[in-house]
């Protein structure tokens, strides 16, 4: 099984590295980081790089495609852009086409989520309607062979769900145990429903362009 994880300048690290930790531990699985051009790709915080060893042209029939979000995501959404064209092509044969956080907007811009249910980061959820997508306020949404995850850390949940569907519950649970994924956050501020209003307001300001 081949998993193609897209990286582009300004990607959010955990969007892609969380699922990488899960999917990359499944038996007989190759994970390849793909980009428009091979080489180091810098994340949105400017302090971490991922080495993309393959271009879109090098990966023509991946079993799973994953697109994360990040500050640079908007630059990838041009209708005739290389990422959009590649996604439309490989989606014809993928078992799963997936996104984490605002990566959903890239799939939507490619027309892949039109008429479907999907989720994304809470700050952009309502904007999915502009792409003909039905926004769902869930951590992970599966519609057909499309799987979308909410903000950042939700990509780990999505990857575990996919692992279970592909290789069975025990295989997924084994990976969960290996990475010791048992969240016990010190605060209950992980969603707009539980965070204090002042925190929601502050986060909104920080996320504004």
């Amino acid at each position: 099984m081949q998993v193609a994880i897209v990286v582009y300048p300004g990607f959010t690290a955990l969007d892609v590295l969380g699922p990488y930790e899960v999917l990359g531990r499944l038996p007989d699985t190759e994970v390849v980081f793909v980009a428009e051009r091979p080489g180091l790709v810098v994340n949105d915080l400017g302090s971490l790089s991922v080495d993309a060893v393959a271009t879109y042209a090098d990966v023509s029939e991946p079993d799973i495609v994953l697109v994360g979000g990040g500050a640079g995501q908007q630059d990838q959404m041009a209708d005739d852009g290389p990422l959009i064209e590649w996604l439309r092509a490989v989606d014809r044969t993928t078992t799963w086409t997936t996104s984490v956080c605002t990566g959903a907007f890239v799939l939507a811009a490619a027309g892949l989520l039109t008429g479907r249910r999907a989720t994304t980061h809470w700050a952009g959820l309502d904007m999915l309607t502009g792409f003909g997508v039905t926004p769902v306020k869930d951590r992970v949404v599966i519609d057909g062979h499309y799987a979308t995850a909410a903000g950042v850390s939700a990509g780990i949940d999505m990857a575990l769900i996919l692992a279970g569907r592909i290789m069975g519950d025990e295989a997924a649970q084994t990976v969960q145990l290996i990475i010791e994924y048992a969240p016990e956050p010190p605060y209950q501020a992980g969603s707009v429903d539980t965070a204090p209003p002042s925190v929601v307001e502050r986060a909104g300001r920080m996320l504004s362009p």
Side-chain angles (χ1 to χ4, degrees), residues 15 33 48 54 68 70-71 74 99 124-125 139 147 151-152 156 205-206 208:
D15 282 11
F33 286 95
L48 182 145
Q74 192 70 34
S99 66
L125 190 62
R139 194 156 171 83
V152 194
I156 299 174
R205 290 198 306 269
M206 294 177 67
S208 296

Side-chain angles (χ1 to χ4, degrees), residues 6 11 23 46-47 55 88 95 99 106 112 117 130 132 134 137 142 146 153 161 164 168 188 202:
V6 174
F11 72 95
L23 299 175
S47 54
T55 67
R88 288 170 177 161
T95 303
S99 66
V106 181
L112 304 182
R117 302 162 64 252
T134 300
K137 192 180 177 182
I142 293 179
Y146 300 99
S153 62
I161 290 172
Q188 295 302 312
R202 182 176 182 179

Side-chain angles (χ1 to χ4, degrees), residues 160-186:
L160 284 168
I161 290 172
L162 294 183
R165 293 201 174 202
I166 295 165
M167 295 191 176
D169 292 340
E170 187 168 303
Q173 290 171 354
T174 301
V175 172
Q176 181 181 8
L177 179 58
I178 288 171
I179 66 173
E180 201 170 352
Y181 181 58
E184 295 181 7

